[in-house]
Amino acid sequence: TLVQTIGTTMLTLVFISGSAAAVLARHGDISPRHLVAAVFGLSTGTYLGAKFTARAPYRLLRVTLVLVPIAAGAMVLFL
């Protein structure tokens, strides 16, 4: 289902972002304090996002899945 797909994607993003933060820390680009804060923030955000996704109406999820990438692309192009 759409809700399971979004939840799985959010869970995967935690590991991708966490590993990227670990690589930055290993190369000295981020302090350990900021690494812990980033991992904590990602974990909290993913958990809350999954909870809200499970409660969101199906139509809202469909519209959001289209509008968010469009908005991100527009920000890259125009800002």
Side-chain angles (χ1 to χ4, degrees):
T1 64
L2 182 62
V3 174
Q4 288 174 331
T5 302
I6 293 171
T8 303
T9 303
M10 293 172 75
L11 180 64
T12 304
L13 288 174
V14 167
F15 294 112
I16 292 170
S17 300
S19 63
V23 168
L24 288 173
R26 187 174 59 196
H27 291 288
D29 293 336
I30 187 172
S31 68
R33 186 175 126 220
H34 288 104
L35 175 65
V36 170
V39 171
F40 179 74
L42 286 168
S43 301
T44 305
T46 300
Y47 177 78
L48 293 174
K51 288 295 181 185
F52 287 131
T53 300
R55 294 185 175 130
Y58 184 74
R59 181 159 171 75
L60 175 65
L61 293 175
R62 286 181 56 199
V63 170
T64 304
L65 282 175
V66 172
L67 291 181
V68 168
I70 290 172
M75 287 172 54
V76 169
L77 290 174
F78 301 114
L79 295 180

